[in-house]
Amino acid sequence: FYSLSAISSGIKEVRAIIESAEQSGKSILFIDEIHRFNKAQQDALLGAVEQGIVTLIGATTENPSFEVISALLSRCQVYVLKTLTEEQLLQILNHAIATDHILKEKKIFLDETQALFDFSGGDARKLLNALELVVSQFPKEKEIHITNQAVTNVLQKKAALYDKGGEQHYDIISAFIKSMRGSDPNAAVYWMARMIEGGEDPKFIARRMLILASEDIGNANPNALLLATSAFQAVQMIGWPESRIILSQTAVYLASSAKSNASYMAINEAQDLVRKTGDLPVPLHLRNAPTKLMKNMDYGKDYAYAHSYENNFVDLEFMPEKLKGKKIYEPGDNARENEMRRFLSARWKEKYGY
């Protein structure tokens, strides 16, 4: 059994353990905070995991879909450790009070526990840290009575102004997104600063802007998606604290851009249509015909290659028979999409009503 911390270890330590494991036979390798390993460090694990030289156990507080490379993740089973229940938290408190070499010397009474539970967020480590902090405020008391008020008085200044797992997290990110959607760069940067000061992962902020660039700006300004993508990549390359400048630039740009949710509404409409109409058959002229049998069944017959016609366009039916003339995409009322509307109108005439 080998154990590493990704915070203080690198490729050298990983390779040394793999070499040792090759000599001793199959081994278990536990890596704490595995999300701290970069791509090259995670790649170094891949061969040993594939060959079964080591059984890898990685622990992370982040979403492994974002933080662990896909090749490594696909070879692992993900187990989600859920927050502890209040009953379990109470057991931990009682056990700590009864067995900790410092706490057991004090007379501690748990008169109320809800505030401790709330501050812990279901995390045992936070719970015990909070208990220790509260108890330390009464060094000369013969009896320490833990109440909700006592906990709040001690922890209110210590508690994070921005809890990444709590309600405020979702409220602030909601305010951030809605400020950009509402074209207010001032509010957008303010709410971003609240997240930054609260210790939010900059990649999380960048991801949210990436989604907004497509959902709320879309083809009204296609450059928004390019900038948001570049910002996400730059944040990964530059690191903290300089990447906050990149995030700010992107947020201001997105907030100050023309807006359209037409593409977002189009995919929603299309998915709803699929759910209602089911698996409608693909028209024969659009089907792939890689075999002689398929060609004999008229697969691909009468298909017209658009590039062989004027303006690289041919009036051909691309929808299933039952959905002929069904308009799904409605361009937004902005300069770029009005140009797209004119293009589509010139090609399709009255068919889709552009």
Side-chain angles (χ1 to χ4, degrees):
F1 178 83
Y2 301 93
S3 178
L4 286 178
S5 171
I7 296 175
S8 56
S9 305
I11 292 180
K12 181 180 178 182
E13 289 79 6
V14 171
R15 287 176 176 167
I17 288 176
I18 292 174
E19 290 177 6
S20 178
E22 286 176 330
Q23 296 173 2
S24 61
K26 293 183 178 179
S27 302
I28 295 174
L29 171 58
F30 175 75
I31 301 179
D32 194 21
E33 306 285 355
I34 193 171
H35 62 275
R36 296 293 189 97
F37 271 175
N38 60 31
K39 184 179 183 300
Q41 291 168 319
Q42 293 184 38
D43 279 338
L45 294 163
L46 193 55
V49 172
E50 274 188 323
Q51 297 170 38
I53 297 171
V54 296
T55 298
L56 174 66
I57 301 175
T60 175
T61 55
E62 304 295 332
N63 187 330
S65 298
F66 297 129
E67 306 297 341
V68 179
I69 60 173
S70 58
L72 189 58
L73 188 62
S74 67
R75 290 163 175 79
C76 298
Q77 176 66 48
V78 177
Y79 295 93
V80 179
L81 302 182
K82 298 181 179 180
T83 56
L84 298 174
T85 65
E86 291 188 357
E87 181 181 350
Q88 292 168 328
L89 293 172
L90 181 59
Q91 290 176 355
I92 292 170
L93 284 175
N94 288 327
H95 182 267
I97 292 171
T99 60
D100 182 83
H101 69 284
I102 295 177
L103 297 180
K104 70 180 181 181
E105 299 300 323
K106 302 177 182 291
K107 290 185 178 181
I108 302 173
F109 299 91
L110 296 173
D111 294 349
E112 296 174 320
T113 55
Q114 193 59 51
L116 279 173
F117 295 161
D118 291 343
F119 276 103
S120 75
D123 185 320
R125 179 167 52 185
K126 288 182 180 179
L127 177 74
L128 294 175
N129 286 342
L131 175 64
E132 183 181 0
L133 188 59
V134 172
V135 170
S136 69
Q137 302 303 305
F138 307 99
K140 298 180 180 180
E141 300 288 338
K142 292 182 180 180
E143 293 185 355
I144 301 174
H145 290 266
I146 305 295
T147 65
N148 292 337
Q149 188 61 52
V151 171
T152 302
N153 289 342
V154 173
L155 297 182
Q156 62 180 349
K157 293 183 180 179
K158 303 288 184 180
L161 296 175
Y162 178 78
D163 181 2
K164 289 199 287 182
E167 181 179 351
Q168 193 176 50
H169 161 79
Y170 298 102
D171 287 343
I172 291 180
I173 189 63
S174 176
F176 174 58
I177 294 298
K178 288 172 181 174
S179 297
M180 289 188 292
R181 180 183 295 141
S183 300
D184 189 338
N186 307 289
V189 173
Y190 168 77
W191 292 118
M192 176 186 287
R194 286 282 297 273
M195 288 188 283
I196 289 172
E197 290 300 308
E200 182 59 82
D201 182 353
K203 293 195 292 295
F204 172 80
I205 300 174
R207 278 195 294 270
R208 298 306 304 178
M209 291 197 291
L210 195 51
I211 295 167
L212 178 130
S214 185
E215 178 180 341
D216 293 298
I217 296 175
N219 289 318
N221 179 7
N223 286 329
L225 183 58
L226 300 178
L227 181 65
T229 302
S230 296
F232 182 79
Q233 294 169 341
V235 165
Q236 292 179 301
M237 291 186 291
I238 300 301
W240 202 250
E242 289 80 4
S243 59
R244 79 191 196 284
I245 306 168
I246 297 165
L247 293 175
S248 178
Q249 176 190 350
T250 307
V252 168
Y253 182 88
L254 297 180
S256 305
S257 174
K259 304 293 191 298
S260 171
N261 70 342
S263 296
Y264 169 71
M265 296 301 291
I267 187 60
N268 287 346
E269 168 73 13
Q271 287 183 280
D272 186 56
L273 196 59
V274 169
R275 295 186 192 106
K276 290 178 179 178
T277 59
D279 297 327
L280 297 178
V282 177
L284 283 175
H285 62 278
L286 297 182
R287 296 186 188 185
N288 186 34
T291 68
K292 184 177 180 180
L293 174 62
M294 291 178 175
K295 290 179 180 177
N296 290 338
M297 295 173 64
D298 289 338
Y299 279 30
K301 183 181 179 182
D302 298 326
Y303 170 69
Y305 187 57
H307 296 294
S308 299
Y309 295 81
E310 184 180 0
N311 294 322
N312 307 93
F313 175 82
V314 59
D315 189 353
L316 193 67
E317 184 57 61
F318 294 99
M319 280 289 217
E321 179 70 25
K322 290 185 178 180
L323 298 180
K324 281 185 177 182
K326 173 66 177 176
K327 187 192 335 188
I328 294 176
Y329 170 63
E330 178 65 52
D333 186 13
N334 56 76
R336 181 68 183 87
E337 287 189 287
N338 280 332
E339 181 182 336
M340 294 169 66
R341 186 191 303 276
R342 288 191 291 271
F343 172 87
L344 294 171
S345 177
R347 296 302 186 273
W348 292 108
K349 309 303 180 187
E350 302 300 323
K351 181 172 183 177
Y352 291 112
Y354 287 118

